[in-house]
């Protein structure tokens, strides 16, 4: 399957050139590499991986044998881009691997600086992001910070150099046919290393053959496949905030193409856009798409770029008007803000909101089994209010969700004592019985439930979760004067003793003695005096 002109061992960097039918690009790349200082080849390995090209690529490569050391691999059939990248990874004998696009023309003047950086810093991932005039590189001790800043550029293989060993140990079968097989390589290297680097020196001239790129569904690759890969890496240490930032970047990257595919279809003829709107909505969500649309359509920089591209001479006039237009926009926004305050004063808005909350409170109280005076802030979501027994002076901040489900052989019961206060977004799910005593204070984002979907025996787990019956192992009893911190989960068949404090983020799965403290997800119970 492969032919090799020279074997390498113990080099620092492999420059890998996966290619298919781009003989002219490979000739330019090898010409650049042949002109570097020959002593650098003691640290650099060059690999050309030919995916069964039908043009003059083999003849071009043959002309460079003897001029420089390199490895030439030629596949007997076209394996696809992902398999070709993987072949480069497994063929490399170096500590670091650089998958360089065959049309991203290499600039060799800073190669010694790159090699010195790899030796001194030993980063997991090096991301190339040229910034003229500043410092040559930035070191990141936290991988999430770097990845949030890189965003969608993690998919651009020429911009990333990675540590080989950790990436070579990954099982890439789940990522086959995603057109983004290089992304798991970069994420693995970045997350497992103590430090990563963003390099600000120029190393390539991007996209000399950009017009021939494409042939795939742009949204499916850079939205759906990218989102799936990021979700896989959440279990491997990638934070939800970083995933959100990277998906924001993907949305900002894809939206202009989707917009142009509607307005100017011929400009995007290289890409497919089947099911694009559905995929964008499913994997990015409508709010994120709207933000990308606003950035694209109303950013002065993007607006001027669009005008320069499509309106020709008019862009010069708009360029001269840029500062006055920005000033006009700011003035109009200030005027609209002042007008809104005059038409709808803050005090009036607060009064209307208060009356709306009072109306919601009275409506909720009269729908319960024991109507008592309470105060609920909108929005609220109630299922089965007839099974709720309220105490005096019950109050809740916005986002309260109570679901009393009559799915067992008896009616659900929710007993709430006097002077109970709930913070934002509390969720109470009742199928059996939940009792909340007097004077209980509950923080935000708390879940209290007395049931689950089915059992956990092997036979039950074969049934899809949504089809499993709701079962309860016992009620939840929260005694008087308990304080429950934010992001707590209280599960079925537990009793929390009087005066206890449940720390933020705790998961309660067993009884808590009176006047105790519970710390952390591991449910560490501390004595009251600690």
């Amino acid at each position: 399957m492969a032919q090799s002109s020279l074997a390498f061992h113990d080099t620092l960097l492999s420059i890998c050139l996966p290619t298919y039918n781009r003989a002219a690009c490979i000739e330019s790349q090898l010409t650049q590499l042949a002109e570097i200082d020959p002593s650098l080849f003691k640290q650099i390995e060059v690999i050309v991986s030919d995916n069964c090209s039908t043009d003059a690529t083999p003849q071009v490569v043959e002309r460079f044998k003897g001029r420089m050391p390199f490895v030439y691999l030629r596949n007997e059939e076209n394996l696809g881009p992902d398999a070709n990248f993987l072949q480069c990874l497994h063929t490399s004998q170096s500590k670091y691997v650089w998958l360089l696009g065959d049309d991203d023309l290499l600039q060799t003047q800073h190669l010694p600086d790159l090699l010195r950086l790899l030796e001194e810093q030993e980063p997991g991932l090096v991301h190339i992001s040229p910034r003229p005039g500043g410092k040559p590189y930035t070191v990141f001790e936290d991988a999430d910070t770097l990845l949030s800043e890189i965003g969608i550029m993690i998919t651009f293989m020429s911009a990333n150099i990675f540590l080989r060993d950790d990436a070579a140990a990954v099982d890439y079968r789940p990522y086959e046919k995603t057109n983004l097989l290089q992304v798991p390589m970069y994420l693995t290297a970045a997350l497992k290393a103590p430090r990563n680097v963003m390099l600000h020196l120029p190393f390539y001239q991007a996209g000399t053959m950009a017009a021939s790129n494409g042939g795939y569904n742009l949204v499916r690759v850079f939205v759906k496949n990218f989102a799936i890969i990021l979700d896989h890496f959440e279990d491997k240490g990638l934070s939800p905030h970083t995933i959100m930032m990277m998906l924001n970047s993907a949305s900002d990257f894809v939206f202009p193409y989707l917009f142009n595919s509607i307005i100017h279809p011929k400009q995007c003829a290289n890409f497919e856009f089947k099911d694009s709107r559905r995929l964008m909505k499913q994997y990015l969500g409508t709010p994120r798409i709207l933000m990308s649309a606003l950035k694209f359509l109303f950013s002065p920089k993007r607006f001027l770029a669009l005008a320069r591209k499509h309106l020709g001479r008019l862009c010069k006039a708009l360029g001269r008007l840029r500062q006055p237009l920005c000033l006009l926009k700011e003035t109009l926004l200030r005027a609209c803000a002042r007008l809104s305050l005059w038409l709808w004063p803050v005090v009036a808005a607060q009064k209307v909101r208060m009356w709306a909350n009072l109306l919601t409170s009275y409506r909720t109280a009269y729908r319960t089994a024991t109507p008592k005076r309470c105060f609920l802030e909108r929005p609220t979501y109630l299922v089965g209010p007839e099974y709720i027994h309220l105490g005096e002076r019950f109050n809740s901040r916005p986002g309260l969700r109570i679901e009393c489900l009559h799915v067992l052989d008896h009616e659900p019961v929710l007993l709430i004592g006097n002077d109970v206060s709930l913070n934002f977004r509390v969720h109470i799910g009742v199928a059996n019985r939940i009792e909340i005593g007097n004077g209980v204070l509950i923080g935000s984002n708390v879940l209290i439930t007395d049931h689950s979907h089915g059992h956990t025996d092997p036979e039950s787990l074969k049934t899809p979760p949504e089809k499993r019956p709701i079962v309860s192992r016992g009620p939840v009893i929260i005694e008087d004067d308990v304080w429950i911190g934010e992001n707590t989960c209280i599960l079925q068949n537990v009793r929390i003793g009087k005066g206890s404090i449940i720390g933020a983020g705790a998961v309660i799965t067993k009884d808590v003695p009176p006047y105790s403290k519970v710390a952390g997800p591991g449910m560490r119970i501390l004595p009251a005096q600690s």
Side-chain angles (χ1 to χ4, degrees):
M1 184 178 85
Q3 301 170 354
S4 174
S5 60
L6 187 63
F8 286 80
H9 300 282
D10 300 326
T11 49
L12 181 62
L13 174 65
S14 289
I15 299 178
C16 302
L17 299 167
T19 186
Y20 175 70
N21 279 355
R22 286 182 174 175
C25 293
I26 287 297
E27 183 173 17
S28 299
Q29 296 282 32
L30 294 178
T31 299
Q32 288 288 94
L33 286 166
E35 294 176 354
I36 67 174
D37 185 349
S39 64
L40 292 180
F41 285 106
K42 296 178 181 178
Q43 296 179 283
I44 294 177
E45 171 188 32
V46 178
I47 299 174
V48 179
S49 185
D50 182 359
N51 212 357
C52 196
S53 297
T54 57
D55 62 359
T57 298
Q59 291 78 14
V60 168
V61 172
E62 185 67 26
R63 292 202 299 269
F64 282 88
K65 288 184 178 179
R67 294 181 56 185
M68 55 176 285
F70 65 93
V71 174
Y72 177 50
L73 307 173
R74 178 171 172 80
N75 300 324
E76 295 176 358
E77 60 180 359
N78 191 323
L79 304 178
D82 285 349
N84 208 24
F85 300 161
L86 199 57
Q87 178 172 260
C88 291
L89 173 65
H90 292 315
T91 303
S92 167
Q93 300 295 317
S94 301
K95 185 175 181 180
Y96 288 89
V97 176
W98 184 6
L99 295 174
L100 183 64
D102 54 8
D103 65 332
D104 297 324
L105 186 59
L106 180 66
Q107 298 180 17
T108 60
Q109 67 270 27
H110 295 298
L111 277 179
D113 299 318
L114 172 61
L115 296 173
R116 186 163 51 253
L117 170 69
L118 296 178
E119 286 184 325
E120 293 175 356
Q121 296 294 335
E122 295 187 341
L125 179 70
V126 177
H127 178 74
I128 301 171
S129 178
R131 296 177 185 175
K135 56 184 180 180
Y137 63 87
T138 304
V139 177
F140 291 82
E141 303 291 341
D142 177 32
D144 282 303
T145 305
L146 173 68
L147 294 172
S148 297
E149 187 168 340
I150 293 175
I152 192 64
M153 290 302 291
I154 194 73
T155 65
F156 184 36
M157 67 177 189
S158 296
N160 297 283
I161 301 168
F162 63 98
L163 197 61
R164 179 188 178 279
D165 289 346
D166 290 332
V170 173
D171 179 8
Y172 289 95
R173 285 175 295 181
Y175 313 112
E176 290 176 351
K177 299 182 180 179
T178 62
N179 284 59
L180 294 176
L181 195 77
Q182 71 277 18
V183 174
M185 300 179 188
Y186 305 149
L187 292 176
T188 299
L191 292 172
K192 290 196 173 184
R195 72 184 63 84
N196 300 284
V197 169
M198 182 175 287
L199 187 57
H200 304 308
L201 301 174
F203 278 91
Y204 56 85
Q205 179 183 345
T208 57
M209 293 286 288
S212 65
N213 290 335
Y216 53 84
N217 189 314
L218 186 82
V219 177
R220 186 174 297 277
V221 171
F222 289 102
V223 174
K224 177 185 175 181
N225 296 350
F226 188 52
I228 290 173
I229 291 173
L230 294 181
D231 285 342
H232 285 184
F233 274 83
E234 184 174 1
D235 295 333
K236 301 178 182 180
L238 190 63
S239 73
H241 177 265
T242 302
I243 293 175
M244 179 191 71
M245 296 298 292
M246 298 181 82
L247 288 178
N248 288 346
S249 177
S251 179
D252 295 343
F253 169 74
V254 169
F255 182 83
Y257 286 94
L258 187 61
F259 179 82
N260 285 330
S261 72
I262 299 171
I263 306 300
H264 303 287
K266 293 183 179 179
Q267 294 183 2
C268 301
N270 288 355
F271 298 106
E272 300 174 17
F273 290 92
K274 183 179 179 181
D275 290 337
S276 293
R277 297 180 188 178
R278 179 183 64 82
L279 292 173
M280 291 275 284
K281 187 174 181 180
Q282 179 180 352
Y283 288 94
L284 297 178
T286 301
R288 182 181 278 125
I289 298 170
L290 290 177
M291 286 302 300
S292 296
L294 291 173
K295 290 180 184 179
F296 176 70
L297 296 174
F298 295 102
S299 168
K301 181 179 178 180
R302 291 184 183 272
F303 180 79
L304 288 175
L306 191 65
R308 189 176 295 111
K309 185 174 183 180
H310 299 293
L311 303 180
R313 296 179 181 177
L314 184 60
C315 69
K316 296 181 180 179
L318 290 175
R320 289 192 293 269
L321 292 174
R322 179 178 180 178
Q323 186 172 355
L325 285 174
C326 290
L327 182 61
L328 177 62
K329 182 181 74 171
E330 185 177 352
T331 302
L332 288 174
L333 288 174
R334 289 176 179 271
C336 289
R338 290 184 176 274
L339 182 62
S340 69
L341 288 174
W342 180 73
L343 294 174
W344 190 246
V346 173
V347 175
Q350 291 174 344
K351 291 290 185 183
V352 170
R353 188 160 53 248
M354 183 188 70
W355 282 103
N357 289 333
L358 286 173
L359 180 61
T360 298
S361 302
Y362 283 115
R363 284 172 57 87
T364 300
Y366 284 112
R367 292 169 64 198
T368 63
T370 55
K372 298 288 180 68
R373 185 171 182 178
C374 61
F375 184 74
L376 308 178
E377 296 185 42
R378 302 167 63 247
T380 60
Y381 176 76
L382 301 180
V383 174
E386 64 271 19
Y387 304 117
I388 301 174
H389 300 261
L390 286 179
E392 299 286 351
R393 297 174 295 280
F394 172 70
N395 68 88
S396 170
R397 301 306 302 274
L400 173 64
R401 176 182 170 190
I402 298 178
E403 296 169 303
C404 296
L405 308 175
H406 192 178
V407 292
L408 303 179
D409 56 359
H410 58 84
E411 293 184 348
V413 176
L414 173 59
L415 298 178
I416 299 178
N418 299 329
D419 301 306
V420 173
S421 296
L422 277 59
N423 219 314
F424 292 87
R425 297 175 297 279
V426 173
H427 179 194
I428 302 174
V430 190
N432 185 356
R433 184 182 186 88
I434 293 180
E435 297 182 14
I436 300 176
N438 299 325
V440 173
L441 176 62
I442 300 178
S444 301
N445 304 310
V446 170
L447 168 66
I448 305 173
T449 181
D450 65 358
H451 59 275
S452 61
H453 284 271
H455 300 283
T456 57
D457 57 280
E459 195 63 31
S460 298
L461 294 179
K462 295 178 182 178
T463 305
E466 63 178 8
K467 295 182 180 180
R468 298 173 194 166
I470 289 179
V471 297
S472 176
R473 293 191 289 106
V476 174
I477 310 297
I478 302 173
E479 297 182 359
D480 296 347
D481 303 324
V482 172
W483 176 17
I484 300 172
E486 294 194 351
N487 301 305
T488 297
C489 292
I490 300 176
L491 304 183
Q492 55 190 321
N493 195 30
V494 299
R495 175 183 288 269
I496 300 177
K498 182 177 180 179
S500 295
I501 299 175
I502 309 300
V507 179
I508 306 302
T509 58
K510 59 184 178 181
D511 291 350
V512 177
Y515 303 105
S516 299
K517 299 177 184 178
V518 177
M523 197 179 165
R524 190 158 52 95
I525 299 179
L526 307 174
Q529 65 270 21
S530 64

